[in-house]
Amino acid sequence: MTVLTFLPDAAAEPLVVLVSNRAVLTQPDDSLLLTPATIAISSTTGKIVFVAPTVLSKEAFPASSTYVDYGNKLILPGLVDAHVHLNEPGRTEWEGFATGTRAAASGGVTTVIDMPLNAIPPTTTLEGFKVKLAAAQGQCWVDVGFYGGVIPGNADQLLPLVEAGVRGFKGFLIESGVDEFPAVSSSDIALAMTTLKDTPTTLMFHAEMLPPITDSVGDGVTRSEPPLAPKGELTSYSTFLESRPPAFETYAIEEILSMAGLAPQLHLHIVHLSATEAIPILRNARARGVNITAETCFHYLGLASDDIEDGDTRHKCCPPIREQSNQDKLWAELTAGDDSCIRTVVSDHSPCTPELKLLPDHLSGQPEFDEQNGALLRRPSLRFTDSGIDVTLPEDLEKQNTNKTDCCGSHEHAAELSYVQQDAAAGPQGQGDFFAAWGGISSVGLGLPILHTTATKRGAPLSIVDVVRLCCQATAKQVGLSHRKGGLKVGMDGDICVFDDEEEWVLRAGDMKWKNKCSPWEGHQFKGRVRETWLRGTKVYQLGGGNGGFVSGVPVGEAITERRVV
């Protein structure tokens, strides 16, 4: 057979040639096509240099080429997970660049976008971004982009961060749970919108907001107890779910939309949409021409509150995992095609140490034993403010009470005492307490099996082409990387995910590549597993391969700092 001459000097160009009976290719009009395919990647540039919608033989390429035939396994673009908390530096014991990106690579994710908070310092200043980049150097197994943060008082840092290459910005309308990243007010949002209005970026929001009054307390009362303080057992998931109602999300989205006119061209985006009550609001806004989209997460599509056992705080996240009926409506919107306001699906990988989850003993494994003192080690009694309620520890409350007069804050005291009294029911050290545990789901690299498995079980009209659209193409577009990520066509980065959509397997702790082996997905059976991951023409992961599967031996990922132009 004649050797193809699609390159100026084919014989001199080292190639990686991957073929399969099934691949999802990006067409010239950006539509996606499931077809047999041959894909050639330059080993020199890491770019795709040739694509054909047919399987070509090895003999069609220079003898020096690396040629791999995957048969009927799927060749997909590497996934772009546009919502990941890597936490380094500052909280590297929660997660770090090395472990978080290894987990991504093991699941076919070749690009992650790091969230600005949970690291210390957060990415809210140019200097903080430089610290983040220094920490990432030499540690990344996949390519990593970065978001900046919007917090009170940092508006002067937003444009410098754009110039430095951040992919977008995120702000919270409710307390984030960490002091370094406070919530923004309406005036902060307005200032961010006007500052960024002529900039190619995305302004994103954790869209939960405390309504002014959350309980019916009478017409004459202008203030109530702390919003939706828990009214039940703290180990009961239903108590937590009731404290975080859909109104938190709809109220926040309406607040954001009320200011959208300040920056009509600016892309606004709602992260981790949970409550389907927000969908008509978003649809109506889009129909009016507002440039707003939303994402949802793998855990909202695959987990339902109906199945969460008491005390299983692995499931705590904010916004919360809601009822099965809510999940059904999320799926209906997700599969609505071009009309859907949900444009992307992401992990929102937000890990912590297992101790911060306050897991009951039967979920946390064997507690450590202090042999020298002959006692079980105590669990940290940490409390967080991410639930919008006061979770003051009893000893702190006692100190506060000694410094307060009878006329000050008595209404708040009642709520605090109520919480502390209920806390006693949560077990030793607050085990299983959904209000005290840190909120976040660990799942980076699991998205493809989760979506494929859940869609198959539901009989949902979500094809592998749809998954590529939601998790590769649209996520790359969301962060201004669609010119090089999220698709298989000439000129794109040679990022490849090889997926066996028939393999069935059960997730065990040993399969988790992130730092802390704690996830509500443990024990779940999946259909479909990533077999290999290639980053810019280099194989970085192979299931069952040496070095724990990380066959490249060393990290070859890069920090993406190119200035966004679209």
Side-chain angles (χ1 to χ4, degrees):
M1 177 182 288
T2 302
V3 174
L4 296 176
T5 57
F6 52 84
L7 294 169
D9 188 356
E13 177 75 5
L15 296 177
V16 171
V17 181
L18 308 179
V19 304
S20 171
N21 296 322
R22 297 186 300 157
V24 178
L25 303 183
T26 304
Q27 302 294 91
D29 63 355
D30 284 338
S31 63
L32 299 172
L33 177 67
L34 179 64
T35 176
T38 300
I39 301 163
I41 305 166
S42 165
S43 296
T44 303
T45 66
K47 297 289 186 180
I48 297 174
V49 293
F50 174 81
V51 175
T54 187
V55 173
L56 299 176
S57 69
K58 181 177 181 179
E59 289 72 25
F61 297 90
S64 60
S65 300
T66 299
Y67 183 94
V68 186
D69 186 345
Y70 290 107
N72 209 42
K73 294 183 177 63
L74 283 156
I75 292 181
L76 310 176
L79 277 67
V80 178
D81 192 338
H83 193 143
V84 175
H85 294 264
L86 293 175
N87 301 340
E88 188 175 0
R91 292 191 174 92
T92 312
E93 71 274 16
W94 294 15
E95 188 64 278
F97 286 106
T99 49
T101 58
R102 282 166 69 98
S106 72
V109 177
T110 51
T111 307
V112 300
I113 313 298
D114 176 63
M115 278 292 165
L117 73 158
N118 295 351
I120 303 173
T123 313
T124 52
T125 65
L126 187 57
E127 185 58 34
F129 186 33
K130 292 177 181 177
V131 173
K132 169 77 74 169
L133 290 174
Q137 189 171 5
Q139 294 204 73
C140 300
W141 291 81
V142 301
D143 288 347
V144 180
F146 304 86
Y147 290 124
V150 175
I151 62 172
N154 83 323
D156 64 325
Q157 296 291 309
L158 303 184
L159 293 180
L161 284 167
V162 170
E163 291 297 322
V166 300
R167 316 315 303 170
F169 294 89
K170 178 184 181 181
F172 275 71
L173 276 72
I174 196 170
E175 289 305 318
S176 69
V178 293
D179 294 338
E180 318 86 51
F181 208 94
V184 290
S185 66
S186 295
S187 60
D188 297 319
I189 296 171
L191 184 56
M193 285 183 175
T194 55
T195 301
L196 297 170
K197 66 179 181 178
D198 297 320
T199 304
T201 193
T202 299
L203 182 56
M204 309 181 300
F205 299 96
H206 179 125
E208 286 187 289
M209 192 173 184
L210 300 178
I213 297 177
T214 58
D215 289 334
S216 177
V217 291
D219 294 339
V221 178
T222 59
R223 186 166 177 206
S224 66
E225 290 183 1
L228 295 194
K231 298 181 176 69
E233 293 293 330
L234 303 182
T235 55
S236 171
Y237 187 80
S238 62
T239 304
F240 173 65
L241 183 58
E242 289 168 5
S243 79
R244 211 97 181 190
F248 277 32
E249 294 187 61
T250 58
Y251 192 82
I253 291 171
E254 287 171 342
E255 182 75 5
I256 294 160
L257 290 172
S258 72
M259 292 175 275
L262 295 172
Q265 304 305 314
L266 181 62
H267 178 207
L268 307 176
H269 184 72
I270 306 303
V271 300
H272 48 49
L273 180 72
S274 167
T276 52
E277 287 83 351
I279 289 174
I281 300 171
L282 290 167
R283 276 180 166 258
N284 289 337
R286 288 173 57 82
R288 298 194 309 269
V290 179
N291 186 11
I292 190 167
T293 56
E295 69 189 34
T296 194
C297 300
F298 304 121
H299 43 273
Y300 299 136
L301 296 169
L303 300 172
S305 62
D306 313 56
D307 304 318
I308 299 175
E309 297 181 0
D310 288 355
D312 193 349
T313 49
R314 295 176 301 177
H315 292 81
K316 181 188 175 180
C317 59
C318 298
I321 296 165
R322 302 191 187 276
E323 303 87 352
Q324 183 66 58
S325 58
N326 184 83
Q327 185 191 98
D328 295 341
K329 294 174 184 176
L330 281 177
W331 272 94
E333 182 66 14
L334 187 71
T335 54
D338 292 340
D339 293 333
S340 177
C341 64
I342 300 176
R343 313 302 287 186
T344 53
V345 184
V346 297
S347 70
D348 187 11
H349 177 69
S350 186
C352 65
T353 60
E355 291 78 12
L356 298 186
K357 277 294 187 182
L358 299 177
L359 291 170
D361 287 340
H362 73 284
L363 293 175
S364 60
Q366 294 298 319
E368 288 187 76
F369 188 78
D370 186 343
E371 295 182 1
Q372 183 174 354
N373 297 313
L376 292 178
L377 295 177
R378 290 170 57 85
R379 297 171 180 271
S381 298
L382 298 181
R383 295 292 185 269
F384 298 97
T385 60
D386 68 340
S387 295
I389 63 169
D390 192 310
V391 291
T392 310
L393 287 169
E395 56 267 31
D396 295 334
L397 179 63
E398 185 176 347
K399 292 177 183 177
Q400 292 174 12
N401 288 342
T402 61
N403 296 323
K404 293 184 179 181
T405 62
D406 291 341
C407 63
C408 294
S410 60
H411 214 62
E412 293 171 335
H413 280 189
E416 290 172 358
L417 286 168
S418 173
Y419 180 89
V420 170
Q421 288 165 357
Q422 293 179 72
D423 190 37
Q429 307 288 320
Q431 291 179 33
D433 183 338
F434 279 100
F435 292 85
W438 179 260
I441 304 290
S442 291
S443 64
V444 67
L446 276 184
L448 196 48
I450 291 170
L451 275 188
H452 180 64
T453 302
T454 309
T456 301
K457 287 181 177 178
R458 296 179 65 94
L462 189 76
S463 68
I464 195 65
V465 171
D466 294 321
V467 173
V468 169
R469 172 176 53 84
L470 292 163
C471 301
C472 306
Q473 186 180 57
T475 44
K477 181 180 179 181
Q478 178 183 311
V479 297
L481 289 173
S482 56
H483 61 290
R484 56 179 288 200
K485 300 291 186 182
L488 299 180
K489 65 179 180 179
V490 172
M492 304 285 274
D493 286 356
D495 296 349
I496 305 289
C497 167
V498 180
F499 185 59
D500 182 347
D501 57 343
E502 292 297 326
E503 181 174 347
E504 296 188 0
W505 61 290
V506 176
L507 179 72
R508 304 299 184 194
D511 299 315
M512 302 178 195
K513 307 301 183 183
W514 49 79
K515 179 165 289 188
N516 293 290
K517 317 303 183 189
C518 177
S519 174
W521 294 107
E522 183 175 1
H524 280 248
Q525 181 166 338
F526 295 111
K527 183 177 182 180
R529 194 166 196 180
V530 171
R531 304 296 302 185
E532 292 183 11
T533 303
W534 295 71
L535 179 66
R536 288 179 278 104
T538 297
K539 187 193 293 186
V540 293
Y541 178 79
Q542 179 176 328
L543 182 66
N547 194 31
F550 298 97
V551 292
S552 63
V554 295
V556 296
E558 298 175 352
I560 299 173
T561 57
E562 63 181 64
R563 188 186 187 279
R564 182 170 175 173
V565 296
V566 293

